[in-house]
Amino acid sequence: MKIILIGVGTVGVSICTQLASEGHDLTVIDRDPAVLAELSNNSDTFCLVGNGADVSLLRRAGAAHAD
């Protein structure tokens, strides 16, 4: 399943870790590059820095094909 997570605070990181361990195709969008760097080092995710409400960023994340 292709999933896009927007915002990865404490709960988002937990959800991302669980979904990645289940083998889902994850894309994560957050404004904090440090959080995304940590997340990408610990799980198999595609990370984008920016505003999750930005339409062009959502297109880049593959929202048209996400479940």
Side-chain angles (χ1 to χ4, degrees), residues 33-58:
V35 170
L36 293 177
E38 174 85 20
L39 189 59
S40 68
N41 288 334
N42 294 324
S43 63
D44 184 23
T45 60
F46 177 62
C47 298
L48 293 169
V49 177
N51 183 342
D54 181 351
V55 174
S56 64
L57 188 61
L58 289 170

Side-chain angles (χ1 to χ4, degrees), residues 14-67:
S14 178
I15 291 170
C16 183
T17 303
Q18 179 64 37
L19 291 172
S21 74
E22 293 174 5
H24 296 286
D25 181 11
L26 293 175
T27 300
V28 178
I29 300 172
D30 197 274
R31 292 183 181 188
D32 187 348
V35 170
L36 293 177
E38 174 85 20
L39 189 59
S40 68
N41 288 334
N42 294 324
S43 63
D44 184 23
T45 60
F46 177 62
C47 298
L48 293 169
V49 177
N51 183 342
D54 181 351
V55 174
S56 64
L57 188 61
L58 289 170
R59 284 189 188 120
R60 235 175 98 201
H65 306 289
D67 297 311

